[in-house]
Amino acid sequence: MDLTPLSNADLRTAPLRRDHCTLSDWSSACAALDAGRLTLLALWGEAAAVRMALLDEGARRIGLLTLPAETAFPSVGRHHPPAQRLERAVADLWGLVPAGAPDARPWLGHGAPYPFLPVEGDSLHQVPVGPVHAGIIEPGHFRFTAQGETVVRLEERLGYVHKGIEALMTGAVLARGAELAGRTSGDSCVAYQWAFAQAAEAGLACPAPPRAEHIRAVLAELERLANHLGDIGAICNDAAFAMMLAQCSILREGLLRATATAFGHRMGKDVIAPGGVSRDLTPEGVAAIRAALTAVAARLPRLVALYDGTASLQDRTVGTGRLSPALARQFGAGGFVGRAAGRSFDTRRSLPYGPYAELSFVVPARDEGDVNARVWLRIEEAQASLGLLDQLLSGLPGGPVQSGLVPSGPAEGIGLVEGFRGDVFVHLALGPDGRIARCHLRDPSWFQWPLLEAAIEGNIIADFPLCNKSFNCSYSGHDL
Amino acid sequence: MRKFLLQGLTSRPLIEAAPLPADPAVEELGRALQARLRGGLGRSLTIRAVDAGSCNGCELEIHALANPFYDLERFGLHFAASPRHADVLLVTGPVTRNMAEALRRSYAATPDPKWVVSAGDCARDGGCFAGSPAILGGVGAVVPVDLHIPGCPPSPTALLQGLLALLERAATGA
Ligand code: SF4
């Protein structure tokens, strides 16, 4: 399978060509996915076409296929299960039917009664949970089929927070697109706004100034660190170890306050915009961030020791919710979910952007794939982010933070940014008037949610909150 | 672990002084509550958070309310797992088509007297998602709202101000 000639280097700086592929290209891509030679990065619909982004992990290259389609297209999910939910979403949103698809049920559209998969067997019972959950989390439905206490199948039903984000994007000006991108999954607002900006800048061949890229990376690492700390605490809390949540949330709050001091918003929302950043980083901002980082660096090792040394906590996390490396690889699972199960892919290292190529950092990886491995991944990534932030803050280049980008069209570009949860993919097409003709945002959760179904199998229902939190997939980013 | 707990005994608490209720919030709430308040609640309110379609940003700040800096339980405010145990529904997000029924049912399951607080710019009128056919609008489009807390997302302080205002009214009006 020959990928569209996009090298690793020009991916984020070059506008995309819009070539149509043939049916046979499409089927050879399906075969390559099936054989594990390529990884599915995204699959989405648009007016009269369906598109697929593919990753060649060995060659570190991304390819894009565009298949003209009026009403139907040959199903990819038939050969490659990770594509199934994406195709169902294409059918819901664009009316393009994946021909030959093994699962024809709607996914994001909730108009009609939903037939759950049939279950057969002795002494099975079902436990429906959600969409409104007991905790303060996003809505989604989980249908557990259990034998005694043991889960024999979990079936997820998502789409409850579908807001029509991609439809709102169409026809919008870039600034409005950036606003929506930052509100696709609130916990990853920086990653989304960066990926969106990247796509615009690549399409218009107008890169952001180096200082802006550095500031973006500062924001992205702060976001990663804050989320990892919050989630390490929350996972332990789901194993009834509340002290860890309290301690981690103190550190998280310190980071959010520093972000507010430096950037005017606790989560750094709306700082990144196509063309650069809307706010420069002042010496006072740097000092506030440094102070928060010092506090984290001082306290984190003690929290890690606490996690490592509490046998009752380890008893809950070790061996729980195990994800097999084969599945992680097949689904191209990003972030700590993939890296805790042997798939060592991190956009920052594998397809570097912004300042990451010049920075030194470790990308931790493990093979066990259980809750414990995911917790450790979070810990090690948090430590890596501390190191990255130190390098970034000491090496801030001077110069402007805006490139003065002028939207014009037609133009197309791709953005791919490592959010705390995994790689956020954005495809952006601008029309002749410089307005958004089509924007597709693919959350890493698309390839992680299905794996949660696999990881929970054989565990007890009572361990589901722990498993779910250790994945921490986004509902909103997925439901769009 | 013992070391941690001992240190906790000797170090200073992180907790912040209670923020003063913001005036507009108190105003907005006053009339609605006076008319609707029946029976005493003591000095406690039980809250059920419902995400009716948020981007999850608002949820992060609601979570932050429980951290040692804000510690909302000291005000007698706490979160319940079921709307059946709640006095207040704290609703975030625009209401999506797919969540409207779940929100209606959560409201119906909440015993009287009850209040609905909508949190975040989306919850007022759909915010940046207004106009999408996939949403019905703000929270008020589906259930009656007593108080709105603005912000994207509202900071924990803003959330606390709003909720405290609600608590004050509930106590004095009883
Ligand atoms: S108000 Fe802002 S943070 Fe809250 S749900 Fe809406 S977009 Fe997200």
Side-chain angles (χ1 to χ4, degrees), chain A residues 55-67:
Chain A
L55 171 69
D56 184 334
E57 283 184 45
R60 298 185 170 189
R61 280 179 12 150
I62 292 177
L64 196 63
L65 291 181
T66 307
L67 183 73

Side-chain angles (χ1 to χ4, degrees), chain B:
Chain B
M1 186 182 341
R2 233 175 294 129
K3 217 164 76 197
F4 250 95
L5 295 174
L6 283 174
Q7 265 168 3
L9 286 178
T10 52
S11 55
R12 267 186 341 111
L14 297 166
I15 214 156
E16 303 211 322
L20 296 171
D23 292 345
V26 180
E27 280 294 297
E28 199 175 325
L29 165 97
R31 265 155 286 151
L33 279 183
Q34 233 129 41
R36 304 187 53 189
L37 195 70
R38 280 189 280 289
L41 287 163
R43 282 195 54 85
S44 97
L45 269 192
T46 302
I47 306 161
R48 170 66 240 195
V50 178
D51 173 346
S54 104
C55 78
N56 79 29
C58 283
E59 277 60 40
L60 291 176
E61 295 294 49
I62 294 175
H63 268 290
L65 281 176
N67 78 30
F69 290 91
Y70 305 102
D71 187 23
L72 88 167
E73 296 225 0
R74 72 188 142 135
F75 301 112
L77 299 166
H78 68 273
F79 287 98
S82 165
R84 293 183 205 284
H85 305 154
D87 305 307
V88 175
L89 286 186
L90 179 62
V91 190
T92 59
V95 183
T96 63
R97 262 179 208 288
N98 297 348
M99 270 306 287
E101 183 55 27
L103 176 59
R104 271 186 218 111
R105 288 195 203 177
S106 299
Y107 181 78
T110 311
D112 281 321
K114 60 187 161 194
W115 296 272
V116 175
V117 176
S118 60
D121 292 349
C122 294
R124 182 187 280 278
D125 55 3
C128 67
F129 305 109
S132 165
I135 71 162
L136 297 180
V139 175
V142 177
V143 293
V145 174
D146 298 294
L147 171 73
H148 176 72
I149 305 174
C152 178
S155 66
T157 310
L159 287 166
L160 212 45
Q161 283 171 337
L163 291 170
L164 278 183
L166 194 68
L167 187 66
E168 292 292 313
R169 285 298 168 143
T172 55

